[in-house]
């Protein structure tokens, strides 16, 4: 039941994105440009030995050993304190199971770098939706472009491969659906965000507090309007 619900969500999202591609070519071109440029730069960094075992090598080894050596996300980078060798002995990150099929298409460090770049770029979509409602279409595209050229975002992208890079995009979608009151999609993206790292539930807690505060404000505004 859950799997069919997730499948339906992504099918509906793809249908919506087909419409958005026609209606929002500027956003799509900005995202495409970001993905091409940052993927190229990160891959060139890898080819010129400017990456490191922490954490690109660790994740590449973890995915590789799972696929080809039948060891559950085994990596040797943390053996000094994680004697079992599984990445789950260091961090609780179930999102690895979701990323594994994408890595399996082309098992390499390049896949991880491109995957991370795409997910970071997709974060511009919920931000664009929120900006459209609050600022209008004219300024929404500028807001998305500012997100894509935001130095800390680019710095994360250039810093090898880290699961924290996925957290921001999932949380942006979660906040968007929270404000819309679409609870199934909100819980889906909060679940994905919490699956990246063990510290994320604390961030989700503050998002829930924000949602409760927003609901109380709307309730108060509605009550005040009724009295008038």
């Amino acid at each position: 039941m859950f799997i069919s619900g997730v499948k339906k969500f992504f099918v509906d999202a793809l249908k919506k994105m087909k419409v958005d591609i026609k209606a929002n070519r500027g956003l799509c071109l900005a995202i495409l440009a970001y993905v091409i440029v940052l993927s190229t730069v990160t891959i060139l960094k890898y080819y010129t030995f400017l990456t490191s075992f922490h954490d690109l090598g660790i994740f590449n080894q973890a995915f590789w050993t799972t696929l080809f050596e039948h060891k559950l996300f085994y990596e040797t980078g943390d053996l000094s304190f994680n004697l079992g060798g599984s990445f789950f002995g260091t961090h609780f990150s179930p999102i690895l199971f979701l990323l594994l099929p994408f890595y399996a298409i082309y098992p390499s460090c390049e896949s991880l770098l491109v995957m991370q770049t795409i997910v970071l770029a997709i974060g511009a979509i919920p931000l664009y939706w929120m900006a459209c409602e609050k600022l209008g279409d004219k300024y929404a595209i500028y807001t998305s472009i500012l997100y894509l050229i935001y130095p800390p975002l680019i710095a994360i992208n250039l810093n090898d491969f880290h699961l924290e890079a996925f957290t921001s995009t999932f949380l942006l979608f979660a906040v968007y659906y929270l404000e819309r009151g679409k609870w199934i999609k909100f819980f889906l993206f909060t679940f994905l965000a919490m699956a990246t790292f063990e510290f994320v539930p604390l961030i989700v807690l503050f998002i829930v507090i924000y949602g409760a505060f927003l609901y109380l404000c709307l309730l108060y505004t509605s009550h005040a309007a009724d009295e008038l």
Side-chain angles (χ1 to χ4, degrees):
M1 187 72 178
F2 175 76
I3 295 175
S4 62
V6 172
K7 180 180 178 182
K8 183 178 182 301
F9 166 76
F10 282 108
V11 169
D12 292 342
L14 286 174
K15 288 180 180 178
K16 184 179 181 192
M17 285 197 67
K18 288 180 181 179
V19 176
D20 285 344
I21 289 173
K22 294 178 181 179
N24 305 301
R25 292 180 182 177
L27 173 65
C28 296
L29 287 174
I31 291 174
L32 181 61
Y34 178 92
V35 170
I36 292 173
V37 172
L38 268 296
S39 293
T40 302
V41 172
T42 53
I43 290 173
L44 287 176
K45 276 191 63 184
Y46 170 65
Y47 287 165
T48 51
F49 304 102
L50 294 176
T51 56
S52 65
F53 185 65
H54 293 276
D55 280 342
L56 180 60
I58 284 177
F59 283 108
N60 188 57
Q61 184 184 22
F63 283 117
W64 183 274
T65 53
T66 304
L67 283 175
F68 301 108
E69 298 181 16
H70 309 294
K71 298 178 181 179
L72 185 63
F73 299 110
Y74 181 82
E75 46 90 8
T76 56
D78 301 316
L79 281 178
S80 60
F81 58 88
N82 177 24
L83 299 181
S86 173
F87 183 79
F88 285 99
T90 307
H91 293 290
F92 181 70
S93 304
I95 195 71
L96 293 175
F97 291 104
L98 184 61
L99 301 180
L100 186 63
F102 297 100
Y103 176 84
I105 296 172
Y106 184 72
S108 67
C109 289
E110 294 97 318
S111 294
L112 296 178
L113 295 171
V114 173
M115 194 189 310
Q116 176 176 259
T117 302
I118 291 172
V119 172
L120 283 170
I122 288 175
I125 296 175
L127 189 64
Y128 176 82
W129 291 341
M130 287 186 279
C132 279
E133 296 179 359
K134 294 174 173 60
L135 303 174
D137 295 350
K138 180 180 178 181
Y139 296 103
I141 183 63
Y142 298 134
T143 304
S144 299
I145 292 173
L146 286 174
Y147 165 84
L148 293 171
I149 62 173
Y150 185 49
L153 180 80
I154 296 175
I156 292 172
N157 207 156
L158 294 177
N159 187 21
D160 290 351
F161 180 88
H162 299 279
L163 292 178
E164 294 94 325
F166 293 75
T167 307
S168 60
T169 294
F170 294 147
L171 290 179
L172 280 170
F173 275 102
V175 170
Y176 173 76
Y177 289 119
L178 172 67
E179 292 184 348
R180 307 283 78 71
K182 297 182 178 179
W183 302 114
I184 294 178
K185 294 178 181 179
F186 166 73
F187 286 118
L188 171 63
F189 280 103
T190 52
F191 173 78
L192 289 172
M194 289 189 293
T196 57
F197 261 102
E198 60 273 4
F199 64 81
V200 178
L202 181 61
I203 301 175
V204 171
L205 173 63
F206 284 100
I207 291 176
V208 171
I209 292 173
Y210 159 75
F213 179 75
L214 183 66
Y215 173 77
L216 290 174
C217 288
L218 291 174
L219 193 65
Y220 175 78
T221 303
S222 176
H223 180 69
D226 291 339
E227 288 185 349
L228 292 175

